[in-house]
Amino acid sequence: MSVLAEVTGSLGSIGYGLAAIGPGIGVGIIFGQGVQAIARQPEAYGLIRQNMLLGFVLTEALALIGLVAPFMFGR
């Protein structure tokens, strides 16, 4: 006897949930390292903050692409 498991529902939402893990970890690393860098060199606050926000924006762009991709390439 063989038993087949059937998956119903939107697999895109499961895929996005898995895809959101990477940007979440990336944002945590960016801000953690940014705070450490500011603590070590407070005089470079402006430059570090600028690079930190740029990294955050690019990382979040990946998360948004992961959100939109299942709708664009789904059936």
Side-chain angles (χ1 to χ4, degrees):
M1 284 182 70
S2 69
V3 177
L4 297 175
E6 183 178 336
V7 177
T8 59
S10 175
L11 293 178
S13 60
I14 294 171
Y16 175 68
L18 293 174
I21 293 171
I25 292 171
V27 168
I29 290 172
I30 287 169
F31 282 105
Q33 296 295 321
V35 169
Q36 278 186 352
I38 291 169
R40 290 180 183 186
Q41 287 188 321
E43 67 275 3
Y45 172 75
L47 180 64
I48 295 169
R49 181 176 169 261
Q50 179 182 6
N51 289 334
M52 197 167 61
L53 290 176
L54 180 63
F56 169 73
V57 167
L58 293 174
T59 304
E60 283 301 314
L62 290 175
L64 291 175
I65 290 171
L67 176 65
V68 173
F71 295 112
M72 289 178 55
F73 302 113
R75 285 196 233 173

Coordinates of all heavy atoms in Angstrom, one line a residue:
M1 N 0.8 -1.2 0.0 CA 0.0 0.0 0.0 C 0.9 1.2 0.0 O 1.8 1.3 0.8 CB -0.9 0.0 1.3 CG -2.0 -0.9 1.2 SD -3.0 -0.8 2.7 CE -3.8 0.7 2.5
S2 N 0.5 2.1 -0.9 CA 1.3 3.4 -0.9 C 0.3 4.5 -0.5 O -0.8 4.6 -0.9 CB 1.9 3.7 -2.2 OG 0.8 4.0 -3.2
V3 N 0.8 5.4 0.4 CA 0.1 6.5 0.9 C 0.7 7.8 0.3 O 1.9 8.0 0.5 CB 0.1 6.5 2.4 CG1 -0.7 7.8 2.9 CG2 -0.5 5.3 2.9
L4 N 0.0 8.5 -0.4 CA 0.5 9.8 -1.0 C 0.0 11.0 -0.2 O -1.1 11.1 0.2 CB 0.0 9.9 -2.4 CG 0.5 8.9 -3.4 CD1 -0.2 9.1 -4.8 CD2 2.0 8.9 -3.5
A5 N 0.9 11.8 0.2 CA 0.6 13.0 0.9 C 0.3 14.1 -0.1 O 1.0 14.3 -1.1 CB 1.7 13.5 1.8
E6 N -0.7 14.9 0.1 CA -1.1 15.9 -0.8 C -1.0 17.3 -0.1 O -1.4 17.4 1.0 CB -2.6 15.8 -1.2 CG -3.0 16.8 -2.3 CD -4.4 16.5 -2.7 OE1 -4.9 15.4 -2.6 OE2 -5.0 17.5 -3.2
V7 N -0.3 18.2 -0.8 CA -0.1 19.6 -0.2 C -1.1 20.5 -0.9 O -1.2 20.5 -2.2 CB 1.3 20.1 -0.4 CG1 1.5 21.5 0.1 CG2 2.3 19.1 0.3
T8 N -1.9 21.1 -0.1 CA -2.9 22.0 -0.7 C -2.6 23.4 -0.2 O -2.0 23.6 0.8 CB -4.4 21.6 -0.4 OG1 -4.5 21.7 1.0 CG2 -4.7 20.3 -0.9
G9 N -3.1 24.4 -0.9 CA -2.9 25.8 -0.5 C -1.8 26.4 -1.4 O -1.4 25.9 -2.4
S10 N -1.4 27.6 -0.9 CA -0.5 28.4 -1.7 C 1.0 28.0 -1.3 O 1.4 28.3 -0.2 CB -0.7 29.9 -1.5 OG 0.3 30.6 -2.1
L11 N 1.7 27.4 -2.1 CA 3.1 27.1 -1.9 C 4.0 28.3 -1.9 O 5.0 28.4 -1.4 CB 3.6 26.0 -2.8 CG 3.0 24.6 -2.7 CD1 3.6 23.7 -3.7 CD2 3.2 24.1 -1.3
G12 N 3.5 29.4 -2.6 CA 4.2 30.6 -2.7 C 4.3 31.3 -1.3 O 5.4 31.9 -1.0
S13 N 3.3 31.2 -0.5 CA 3.4 31.7 0.8 C 4.4 31.0 1.7 O 5.1 31.6 2.5 CB 2.0 31.8 1.5 OG 1.5 30.5 1.7
I14 N 4.5 29.7 1.5 CA 5.5 28.9 2.2 C 6.9 29.3 1.7 O 7.8 29.5 2.5 CB 5.3 27.4 2.1 CG1 3.9 27.0 2.7 CG2 6.4 26.6 2.7 CD1 3.5 25.6 2.4
G15 N 7.0 29.4 0.4 CA 8.3 29.8 -0.1 C 8.7 31.2 0.3 O 9.9 31.4 0.6
Y16 N 7.8 32.1 0.4 CA 8.2 33.5 0.9 C 8.6 33.4 2.4 O 9.5 34.1 2.8 CB 7.0 34.5 0.7 CG 7.4 35.8 1.3 CD1 8.4 36.6 0.8 CD2 6.7 36.3 2.5 CE1 8.7 37.8 1.3 CE2 7.1 37.5 3.0 CZ 8.1 38.2 2.5 OH 8.5 39.4 3.0
G17 N 7.9 32.6 3.2 CA 8.3 32.5 4.6 C 9.7 32.0 4.7 O 10.4 32.5 5.6
L18 N 10.1 31.0 3.9 CA 11.4 30.6 3.9 C 12.4 31.6 3.4 O 13.5 31.7 3.9 CB 11.5 29.2 3.2 CG 10.8 28.1 3.8 CD1 10.9 26.9 2.8 CD2 11.4 27.7 5.1
A19 N 12.0 32.3 2.4 CA 12.9 33.3 1.8 C 13.1 34.5 2.7 O 14.1 35.2 2.6 CB 12.3 33.8 0.4
A20 N 12.1 34.8 3.6 CA 12.3 35.9 4.5 C 13.3 35.7 5.6 O 13.7 36.6 6.3 CB 10.9 36.3 5.1
I21 N 13.7 34.5 5.8 CA 14.7 34.2 6.8 C 16.0 34.8 6.5 O 16.6 35.4 7.4 CB 14.8 32.6 7.0 CG1 13.5 32.0 7.5 CG2 16.0 32.3 7.9 CD1 13.5 30.5 7.5
G22 N 16.4 34.7 5.3 CA 17.7 35.3 4.9 C 17.8 36.8 5.1 O 18.8 37.3 5.7
P23 N 16.9 37.6 4.6 CA 16.9 39.0 4.8 C 16.8 39.4 6.3 O 17.4 40.3 6.8 CB 15.8 39.6 4.0 CG 15.6 38.7 2.9 CD 15.9 37.3 3.5
G24 N 16.1 38.6 7.0 CA 15.9 38.8 8.5 C 17.3 38.7 9.2 O 17.7 39.5 10.0
I25 N 18.0 37.6 8.8 CA 19.3 37.4 9.4 C 20.3 38.5 9.0 O 21.1 39.1 9.7 CB 19.8 36.0 9.0 CG1 19.0 35.0 9.7 CG2 21.3 35.9 9.4 CD1 19.3 33.6 9.2
G26 N 20.1 38.9 7.7 CA 21.0 40.0 7.1 C 20.8 41.3 7.8 O 21.8 42.0 8.1
V27 N 19.6 41.7 8.1 CA 19.3 42.9 8.8 C 19.9 42.9 10.2 O 20.5 43.9 10.7 CB 17.8 43.2 8.8 CG1 17.4 44.3 9.8 CG2 17.3 43.6 7.4
G28 N 19.7 41.8 10.9 CA 20.3 41.7 12.2 C 21.8 41.8 12.2 O 22.4 42.5 13.1
I29 N 22.5 41.2 11.2 CA 23.9 41.3 11.1 C 24.3 42.8 10.8 O 25.3 43.3 11.4 CB 24.5 40.3 10.1 CG1 24.3 38.9 10.6 CG2 25.9 40.6 9.7 CD1 24.6 37.8 9.5
I30 N 23.6 43.4 9.9 CA 23.9 44.8 9.5 C 23.9 45.7 10.7 O 24.8 46.5 11.0 CB 23.0 45.2 8.4 CG1 23.4 44.6 7.1 CG2 23.1 46.8 8.2 CD1 22.3 44.8 6.0
F31 N 22.8 45.7 11.4 CA 22.6 46.6 12.6 C 23.5 46.2 13.7 O 24.0 47.1 14.4 CB 21.2 46.7 13.0 CG 20.4 47.6 12.0 CD1 19.5 47.0 11.1 CD2 20.6 49.0 12.0 CE1 18.8 47.8 10.2 CE2 19.9 49.8 11.2 CZ 19.0 49.2 10.3
G32 N 23.7 44.9 14.0 CA 24.6 44.5 15.0 C 26.1 45.0 14.8 O 26.7 45.5 15.7
Q33 N 26.6 44.8 13.6 CA 27.9 45.2 13.2 C 28.0 46.7 13.2 O 29.0 47.3 13.5 CB 28.3 44.6 11.9 CG 28.4 43.1 11.9 CD 29.5 42.6 12.8 OE1 30.6 43.2 12.9 NE2 29.2 41.5 13.6
G34 N 26.9 47.4 12.7 CA 26.9 48.8 12.7 C 27.0 49.5 14.1 O 27.8 50.4 14.3
V35 N 26.3 48.9 15.0 CA 26.4 49.4 16.4 C 27.8 49.2 17.0 O 28.3 50.1 17.7 CB 25.3 48.7 17.3 CG1 25.5 49.0 18.7 CG2 23.9 49.2 16.8
Q36 N 28.4 48.0 16.7 CA 29.7 47.8 17.2 C 30.7 48.8 16.5 O 31.6 49.3 17.2 CB 30.2 46.4 16.8 CG 29.7 45.3 17.7 CD 30.3 44.0 17.4 OE1 30.9 43.8 16.4 NE2 30.0 43.0 18.3
A37 N 30.5 49.1 15.3 CA 31.4 50.0 14.6 C 31.3 51.4 15.1 O 32.3 52.1 15.3 CB 31.2 50.0 13.1
I38 N 30.1 51.8 15.4 CA 29.8 53.2 16.0 C 30.4 53.2 17.4 O 31.0 54.3 17.8 CB 28.3 53.5 16.0 CG1 27.9 53.7 14.5 CG2 28.1 54.7 16.8 CD1 26.4 53.8 14.4
A39 N 30.3 52.1 18.2 CA 30.9 52.1 19.5 C 32.4 52.2 19.5 O 33.0 52.8 20.4 CB 30.4 50.9 20.3
R40 N 33.0 51.6 18.5 CA 34.5 51.7 18.4 C 35.0 53.0 17.8 O 36.1 53.5 18.2 CB 35.0 50.5 17.5 CG 34.8 49.2 18.1 CD 35.3 48.1 17.2 NE 35.1 46.8 17.9 CZ 35.5 45.7 17.4 NH1 36.2 45.7 16.3 NH2 35.2 44.5 18.0
Q41 N 34.2 53.6 16.9 CA 34.7 54.9 16.3 C 33.5 55.8 16.2 O 32.8 56.0 15.2 CB 35.2 54.6 14.9 CG 36.6 54.0 14.8 CD 37.1 54.0 13.4 OE1 36.4 53.8 12.5 NE2 38.4 54.2 13.3
P42 N 33.2 56.5 17.3 CA 32.0 57.4 17.3 C 32.2 58.6 16.3 O 31.2 59.1 15.9 CB 32.0 57.9 18.8 CG 32.9 57.0 19.5 CD 33.8 56.4 18.6
E43 N 33.4 58.9 16.0 CA 33.6 60.1 15.1 C 33.2 59.7 13.7 O 32.9 60.6 12.9 CB 35.1 60.6 15.1 CG 36.1 59.6 14.6 CD 36.5 58.5 15.6 OE1 36.1 58.5 16.7 OE2 37.4 57.7 15.2
A44 N 33.1 58.5 13.3 CA 32.7 58.0 12.0 C 31.2 57.7 12.0 O 30.7 57.0 11.1 CB 33.5 56.9 11.6
Y45 N 30.4 58.3 12.9 CA 29.0 57.9 13.0 C 28.2 58.1 11.7 O 27.4 57.3 11.2 CB 28.3 58.8 14.1 CG 26.8 58.6 14.2 CD1 26.3 57.5 14.7 CD2 26.0 59.6 13.7 CE1 24.9 57.3 14.8 CE2 24.6 59.5 13.8 CZ 24.1 58.3 14.3 OH 22.7 58.2 14.3
G46 N 28.4 59.3 11.0 CA 27.7 59.6 9.8 C 27.9 58.6 8.7 O 27.0 58.2 8.0
L47 N 29.2 58.3 8.5 CA 29.5 57.3 7.4 C 29.0 55.9 7.7 O 28.5 55.3 6.8 CB 31.1 57.3 7.2 CG 31.6 56.4 6.1 CD1 31.1 56.8 4.7 CD2 33.1 56.3 6.1
I48 N 29.2 55.5 8.9 CA 28.7 54.2 9.3 C 27.2 54.1 9.2 O 26.7 53.1 8.7 CB 29.2 53.8 10.7 CG1 30.7 53.7 10.8 CG2 28.6 52.5 11.2 CD1 31.3 53.7 12.2
R49 N 26.5 55.1 9.7 CA 25.1 55.1 9.6 C 24.6 55.1 8.2 O 23.6 54.4 7.8 CB 24.5 56.4 10.3 CG 23.0 56.4 10.3 CD 22.6 57.7 11.1 NE 21.2 57.9 11.0 CZ 20.7 58.8 10.1 NH1 21.5 59.5 9.4 NH2 19.4 58.9 10.0
Q50 N 25.2 55.9 7.3 CA 24.9 55.9 5.9 C 25.0 54.5 5.3 O 24.1 54.0 4.6 CB 25.7 56.9 5.2 CG 25.5 57.0 3.7 CD 26.4 58.0 3.0 OE1 27.3 58.5 3.6 NE2 26.1 58.3 1.8
N51 N 26.2 53.9 5.5 CA 26.4 52.5 4.9 C 25.5 51.5 5.6 O 25.0 50.6 4.9 CB 27.8 52.1 5.1 CG 28.8 52.9 4.3 OD1 28.4 53.4 3.2 ND2 30.0 53.1 4.7
M52 N 25.1 51.7 6.8 CA 24.2 50.7 7.5 C 22.8 50.8 6.9 O 22.2 49.8 6.6 CB 24.2 51.1 9.0 CG 23.6 50.0 9.9 SD 24.0 50.3 11.6 CE 23.1 51.9 11.9
L53 N 22.4 52.0 6.6 CA 21.0 52.2 6.1 C 21.0 51.7 4.6 O 20.0 51.2 4.2 CB 20.6 53.7 6.1 CG 20.3 54.1 7.6 CD1 19.9 55.6 7.5 CD2 19.1 53.3 8.2
L54 N 22.1 51.9 3.9 CA 22.2 51.4 2.5 C 22.1 49.9 2.5 O 21.4 49.3 1.7 CB 23.4 51.9 1.8 CG 23.6 51.5 0.4 CD1 22.5 52.1 -0.5 CD2 25.0 51.9 -0.1
G55 N 22.8 49.3 3.4 CA 22.8 47.8 3.5 C 21.4 47.3 3.8 O 20.9 46.3 3.3
F56 N 20.7 48.0 4.8 CA 19.4 47.7 5.2 C 18.4 47.8 4.0 O 17.6 46.9 3.8 CB 18.9 48.6 6.3 CG 17.4 48.5 6.6 CD1 17.0 47.4 7.3 CD2 16.6 49.5 6.3 CE1 15.6 47.2 7.6 CE2 15.2 49.4 6.5 CZ 14.7 48.2 7.2
V57 N 18.5 48.8 3.2 CA 17.6 49.0 2.1 C 17.8 47.9 1.0 O 16.8 47.4 0.5 CB 17.8 50.4 1.5 CG1 17.1 50.5 0.1 CG2 17.3 51.5 2.4
L58 N 19.0 47.6 0.7 CA 19.3 46.6 -0.3 C 18.8 45.2 0.2 O 18.3 44.4 -0.5 CB 20.8 46.5 -0.6 CG 21.3 47.8 -1.4 CD1 22.8 47.7 -1.5 CD2 20.6 47.9 -2.7
T59 N 19.0 44.9 1.5 CA 18.5 43.7 2.1 C 17.0 43.6 2.1 O 16.5 42.5 1.7 CB 19.1 43.5 3.5 OG1 20.5 43.6 3.5 CG2 18.7 42.2 4.1
E60 N 16.4 44.6 2.4 CA 14.9 44.6 2.4 C 14.4 44.5 0.9 O 13.3 44.0 0.7 CB 14.3 45.9 3.1 CG 14.4 45.7 4.6 CD 13.6 44.6 5.1 OE1 12.5 44.3 4.7 OE2 14.2 43.9 6.0
A61 N 15.1 45.1 0.0 CA 14.7 44.9 -1.4 C 14.6 43.5 -1.8 O 13.7 43.0 -2.5 CB 15.6 45.7 -2.3
L62 N 15.6 42.7 -1.3 CA 15.5 41.2 -1.6 C 14.3 40.6 -1.0 O 13.7 39.7 -1.6 CB 16.8 40.6 -1.0 CG 18.1 40.9 -1.8 CD1 19.2 40.2 -1.0 CD2 18.0 40.4 -3.2
A63 N 13.9 41.0 0.2 CA 12.7 40.5 0.8 C 11.5 40.9 0.0 O 10.5 40.1 -0.1 CB 12.6 41.0 2.3
L64 N 11.4 42.1 -0.5 CA 10.2 42.5 -1.3 C 10.2 41.7 -2.6 O 9.1 41.4 -3.1 CB 10.3 44.0 -1.5 CG 10.0 44.8 -0.3 CD1 10.2 46.3 -0.6 CD2 8.7 44.5 0.3
I65 N 11.3 41.5 -3.2 CA 11.4 40.7 -4.4 C 10.8 39.3 -4.1 O 10.1 38.7 -4.9 CB 12.8 40.6 -5.0 CG1 13.2 42.0 -5.6 CG2 12.9 39.6 -6.1 CD1 14.6 42.1 -6.0
G66 N 11.2 38.7 -3.0 CA 10.7 37.4 -2.6 C 9.2 37.4 -2.3 O 8.5 36.4 -2.5
L67 N 8.6 38.6 -1.9 CA 7.2 38.7 -1.7 C 6.5 38.8 -3.1 O 5.4 38.2 -3.3 CB 6.9 39.9 -0.9 CG 5.4 40.3 -0.7 CD1 4.7 39.2 0.1 CD2 5.3 41.6 0.0
V68 N 7.0 39.5 -4.0 CA 6.3 39.7 -5.3 C 6.5 38.5 -6.3 O 5.6 38.2 -7.1 CB 6.9 41.0 -5.9 CG1 6.3 41.2 -7.3 CG2 6.5 42.2 -5.1
A69 N 7.7 37.8 -6.2 CA 8.0 36.8 -7.2 C 6.9 35.7 -7.3 O 6.5 35.3 -8.4 CB 9.3 36.2 -6.9
P70 N 6.3 35.2 -6.2 CA 5.3 34.1 -6.3 C 4.1 34.6 -7.1 O 3.4 33.9 -7.8 CB 4.9 33.8 -4.9 CG 6.1 34.1 -4.1 CD 6.7 35.3 -4.7
F71 N 3.7 35.9 -6.9 CA 2.6 36.4 -7.7 C 2.9 36.6 -9.1 O 2.0 36.4 -10.0 CB 2.1 37.8 -7.0 CG 1.7 37.7 -5.6 CD1 2.4 38.2 -4.6 CD2 0.5 37.0 -5.3 CE1 1.9 38.1 -3.3 CE2 0.0 36.9 -4.1 CZ 0.8 37.4 -3.0
M72 N 4.1 36.9 -9.5 CA 4.5 37.1 -10.9 C 4.7 35.8 -11.6 O 4.3 35.7 -12.8 CB 5.7 38.0 -11.0 CG 5.6 39.4 -10.6 SD 7.1 40.4 -10.6 CE 7.6 40.1 -12.3
F73 N 5.3 34.9 -10.9 CA 5.7 33.6 -11.6 C 4.8 32.4 -11.2 O 5.0 31.3 -11.7 CB 7.1 33.3 -11.3 CG 8.1 34.4 -11.8 CD1 8.8 35.1 -10.8 CD2 8.2 34.7 -13.1 CE1 9.6 36.1 -11.2 CE2 9.1 35.7 -13.5 CZ 9.8 36.4 -12.6
G74 N 3.8 32.7 -10.4 CA 2.8 31.6 -10.1 C 1.9 31.4 -11.2 O 1.8 32.0 -12.2
R75 N 1.1 30.4 -11.0 CA 0.1 30.1 -12.1 C -1.0 31.0 -12.2 O -1.7 31.5 -11.8 CB -0.5 28.7 -11.9 CG 0.5 27.6 -12.2 CD -0.2 26.3 -12.3 NE 0.5 25.3 -11.5 CZ 0.0 24.1 -11.3 NH1 -1.1 23.8 -11.8 NH2 0.7 23.3 -10.6

